Amino acid sequence: MSALLVLVLGVACVAVVSSGSPEETSGADPGEGSEGGTGEAEETVGMGEPGTVGQWEVTVDDIETSTTYGDEFSTEEAQGEFKLVSLTVENIGEEATTFDESGVYLIEDDGNRHSSTTTLAEDSLFLEQINPGNEVSGTAVVDVPEGTEIDSVEIEDIGSLEGPLVIEMP
């Protein structure tokens, strides 16, 4: 029980340290090279192009829209509609570490920021441990209001204070 409490507190501390205030993140124009939490400029790439954040090289391969998501064991219905963000993630660091889909956000052109939903589907990237040099592909699921137009995707390394990777939509 105490090990679980330590784990929960550790994750909470990382979340508090790595998340900026809404003023710091929601109004920033990804094309302006705004600065992240440690003063390092964020990287901006296009859809299908690899970019780095922390010890990750991440490519957003595709974004699809659906009203349901899941597999044969569990299917969820969206409150609005799901944006299914297909990612390829490679550990470019020197040690095994955990990538988590909770660091994936969809940004509208007016600055609204939508966070991913944790799922336990087969292709989920929930707390995915990846060894150096290995890569995995999976899906981050974001529940947004119907008809939402996405301007960009932000990906944070939840274990780093570095600014996010920004993927601009075509």
Side-chain angles (χ1 to χ4, degrees):
M1 181 70 169
S2 64
L4 178 61
L5 180 60
V6 170
L7 176 64
V8 169
L9 289 174
V11 170
C13 288
V14 168
V16 168
V17 169
S18 66
S19 67
S21 68
E23 294 80 24
E24 293 172 350
T25 55
S26 64
D29 179 356
E32 293 179 3
S34 59
E35 305 217 347
T38 61
E40 296 181 36
E42 62 193 27
E43 180 177 358
T44 301
V45 298
M47 177 84 93
E49 298 175 7
T52 57
V53 59
Q55 66 180 49
W56 304 110
E57 181 176 87
V58 181
T59 305
V60 173
D61 301 311
D62 192 23
I63 300 178
E64 296 179 4
T65 303
S66 178
T67 56
T68 61
Y69 178 75
D71 54 27
E72 61 195 62
F73 303 108
S74 172
T75 301
E76 297 180 39
E77 254 187 69
Q79 294 169 347
E81 63 187 17
F82 288 131
K83 296 292 184 180
L84 308 175
V85 183
S86 299
L87 303 167
T88 302
V89 181
E90 180 181 357
N91 182 343
I92 57 173
E94 297 177 355
E95 59 186 49
T97 192
T98 303
F99 182 86
D100 188 26
E101 65 194 7
S102 68
V104 177
Y105 300 90
L106 299 182
I107 314 300
E108 294 180 70
D109 62 356
D110 63 3
N112 287 340
R113 189 170 193 221
H114 304 277
S115 61
S116 59
T117 302
T118 300
T119 67
L120 299 177
E122 211 170 282
D123 66 345
S124 170
L125 292 171
F126 176 65
L127 297 176
E128 184 73 36
Q129 183 170 333
I130 307 170
N131 283 315
N134 286 344
E135 74 176 30
V136 298
S137 295
T139 303
V141 179
V142 184
D143 196 340
V144 298
E146 284 187 44
T148 297
E149 294 293 323
I150 302 303
D151 184 57
S152 62
V153 178
E154 285 186 3
I155 300 175
E156 298 176 350
D157 178 355
I158 61 171
S160 169
L161 296 178
E162 184 174 309
L165 168 63
V166 177
I167 297 88
E168 293 183 336
M169 295 298 99

